[in-house]
Structure formats: C-alpha cells, structure tokens
Amino acid sequence: MRVVSGIQPTGVAHLGNYFGAFANWIELQNAGHECFYFIANQHAITIPQNNEILKKNTLEITAIMLAVGLDPKKSTIFIQSDIPVHTQLSWILSCLSPIGEMERMVQFKEKSKIDPSATNLGLLSYPTLQAADILIYKADLVPVGIDQAQHLELTRLLARKFNNTYKSIFKEPKTLHTKTTKVVGLDGAAKMSKGLNNYIGLVEDEKTIWKKLSVAMTDPARKRKTDPGNPAICNIYILHKLFSSQKDLDWVVDGCTNAKIGCIECKKKLFENIIKLTNPIREKYLKLINNPNDLKDILSIGAKKATIIAQQTMDEVNALVGFKYF
Ligand code: AMP
C-alpha cells in the first residue's frame, strides 16, 4: 500500500506526535509499505514564521524523524515545498472546495481564534493543500492523529468531486489512527501541543522533562498523600499507560487509590519510563543534527523520488482539466 503523511516544522516534536503519528509511520515503513513522509513547511507559514528559524526547524524535524526510526532507504523523506506540484494541484482542488466546509474545519476555527487579526486565506485553505499532498501520490493510507480526521474527510470529498467532474483517477484514502489517537497535555485539559505549551519534547533532556513533569496536573481531588486518588481521571496515569509495564500500572493503581504513594513518587516512575524512550532518540538526534549536509542529501534524494510520482499525477490532472494545449 502507498502511505503518505506529514509533520510541520514548528520547532517541537512531542510525545503526542510520537504516539499519534510516528509510531504508525515506523510500523508501516517496517511492514514494507511504500511510504512518503514529508515536512509540511508550506502548512507552517499559515502562522507567521521567521525564515531562518523555519529553515533550522526543518532540519531539526528531519533529524527527529530519522532518530525515531524512519529510514531513508525504506521511506521517501522530503520537504513539501521541494515538490511544487503539491500547490499546483491544490489550486485545482481549491476550485472544488466548498467554502462553507472550509469554514467549519475545527482546526481553522481554533487557530483563527488565537489571533483573529492574523487569520489569512492560507489558514482557511490549508486542508485543501493537505488534500493535494495526499492525492498527488494516490495514497491508500494516511496515518495521522484524530485531530486530522476532519481534514481527511475533506480529502475524500475532493477526490470524489474531482473524479465526478473529470475522470475517476483518485482513490479515496483511508485514515489510519494509532491506538493512542490523542495524547493529553501536561495540563490534563487539552491535547498535547506546542501552542499550548503543555508538552514533553521528544529530544528534551532529562532535567527539562522532570521540570515539566514535576509540576504537571494530577487528580485535583488529591491534595495530600493521605487523600486516596482516582487514576482513571488522572492525567499522569493516562501517560503511564503509554509508557509503563503492567507491573508499574498495578503499582500506581494500588498506591494511588489506597493512598500508599504520593503524586511525586508516581511521577518519578513515569519519568524513568519516559526517558527510556526519549534518551536514545535524543542521542541519535544529536549525532544527526551535527551533520546537516547528510540531512540535506537525504532530503534531496527524497525530493527526486517524490517528484517522479507527483509529476505523473499532475500531468494526468492537467490533461483532464484542459490545461494541456500542445
Ligand atoms: P503537527 O505537529 O500538527 O504537524 O502534527 C503531526 C502529527 O502528529 C499529526 O498526525 C497529528 O495528528 C499528530 N498529533 C499532534 N498532536 C497530537 C496529540 N496530542 N495526540 C495525538 N496525535 C497528535
């Protein structure tokens, strides 16, 4: 099967990205599927960006993608803006995108609320570009977090609309969620995200991770160690379930509900288990980021491979739309 997915170079990749997306990316790659994974720098500029920081973040996310286990020998890894036909197809799909649907997109509504004066057309049409990113490779599967489900619905709608208007050339791609569709943030209130500053970064050092975890929200009813807690509603227990063995989970449930352990002890155990995942990723990342030319080579080879497939689809689309004159 052909798999397509992307991530924005926003400067932080966190545990939400890992459990919501990367885990599936790696599994699909290792199962032998034909995977295209890209850095969505064109999506990133829907929010104001500094050009130098954007370039730095692009190399950093490339290093993180490799450090978590993506292998350029198995997967095609590239930068979105290196394949200009994504935006070319996006224009054609824009002319099929119902404006009412676009305005109903939850992410558009949330992001435009942050700074209404900065709301721009790109933010509104972002899901159409995302549809182009996917359809240009005629993807079968799109592994993403639940926050992308509505955008994938639009992708399928646009595939149907194009097929009905011109000719049936697009497949309707399936969305693939991981077991963990949404990782909650350290505030326990919303999904883990950079914008809300409630995240643990995949390449953060131990000191930083502990600093964040030690003050993270727990069961609000548990004020003292002697108060019995309720792990089912505790943010820290939800995170434990991603990282900890059954033995550790049983220890938390017994210790918390019977007031035998305090929240700090519980968090220390979680910390030990988190760094078992993040420390090796961080070590690999530091080696990779110190060799930017190797990263650029990987991205350049990826762009060449992606262009071959994307251009074929674009030629087909241009002919069908009536843009091929000679
Ligand atoms: P983004 O960082 O918005 O480019 O997202 C990259 C991928 O990570 C997408 O597939 C998102 O759905 C996924 N993702 C981001 N935040 C979370 C979260 N808190 N829980 C689960 N998946 C997430």
Side-chain angles (χ1 to χ4, degrees), residues 6-8 14 16-17 20-21 144-145 147-148 181-183 191-192:
I7 182 161
Q8 290 195 44
H14 50 68
N17 298 132
V144 283
D147 56 344
Q148 296 297 326
T181 49
K182 181 178 152 186
V183 176
K191 75 163 187 171
M192 187 172 281

Side-chain angles (χ1 to χ4, degrees), residues 85-99 102 125-137 151 154-163 165-167 169-171 173 313-314 317-318 321 323:
V85 286
H86 284 220
T87 41
Q88 211 180 326
L89 178 60
S90 171
W91 176 253
I92 293 166
L93 297 179
S94 293
C95 299
L96 298 170
S97 299
I99 198 100
M102 308 307 291
S125 62
Y126 170 129
T128 300
L129 176 57
Q130 193 175 345
D133 298 332
I134 297 164
L135 296 179
I136 204 137
Y137 299 99
H151 294 171
L154 179 85
T155 301
R156 287 186 283 272
L157 173 79
L158 292 177
R160 282 196 297 278
K161 279 191 129 190
F162 185 95
N163 289 347
T165 310
Y166 299 103
K167 190 182 165 193
I169 62 160
F170 289 125
K171 297 176 189 176
T313 307
M314 200 62 232
V317 168
N318 276 336
V321 173
F323 288 170

Side-chain angles (χ1 to χ4, degrees), residues 32-98:
H33 296 291
E34 188 191 1
C35 300
F36 292 81
Y37 297 129
F38 66 92
I39 295 138
N41 58 347
Q42 289 170 314
H43 289 292
I45 64 159
T46 54
I47 305 285
Q49 299 282 338
N50 169 288
N51 55 355
E52 287 305 324
I53 295 175
L54 183 65
K55 278 205 263 183
K56 179 174 154 283
N57 289 345
T58 301
L59 281 186
E60 282 177 8
I61 194 69
T62 309
I64 291 176
M65 285 161 72
L66 301 175
V68 296
L70 295 177
D71 178 352
K73 290 196 194 82
K74 296 180 183 165
S75 297
T76 304
I77 298 169
F78 61 97
I79 302 175
Q80 185 184 29
S81 64
D82 279 345
I83 322 290
V85 286
H86 284 220
T87 41
Q88 211 180 326
L89 178 60
S90 171
W91 176 253
I92 293 166
L93 297 179
S94 293
C95 299
L96 298 170
S97 299

Side-chain angles (χ1 to χ4, degrees), residues 5-10 12 14-22 25 40 107 111 126 143-148 178 180-185 190-193:
S5 197
I7 182 161
Q8 290 195 44
T10 44
V12 166
H14 50 68
L15 299 179
N17 298 132
Y18 185 85
F19 287 99
F22 286 154
W25 291 18
Q107 252 192 35
K111 288 191 177 172
Y126 170 129
V144 283
I146 197 96
D147 56 344
Q148 296 297 326
T178 51
T180 325
T181 49
K182 181 178 152 186
V183 176
V184 280
K191 75 163 187 171
M192 187 172 281
S193 81

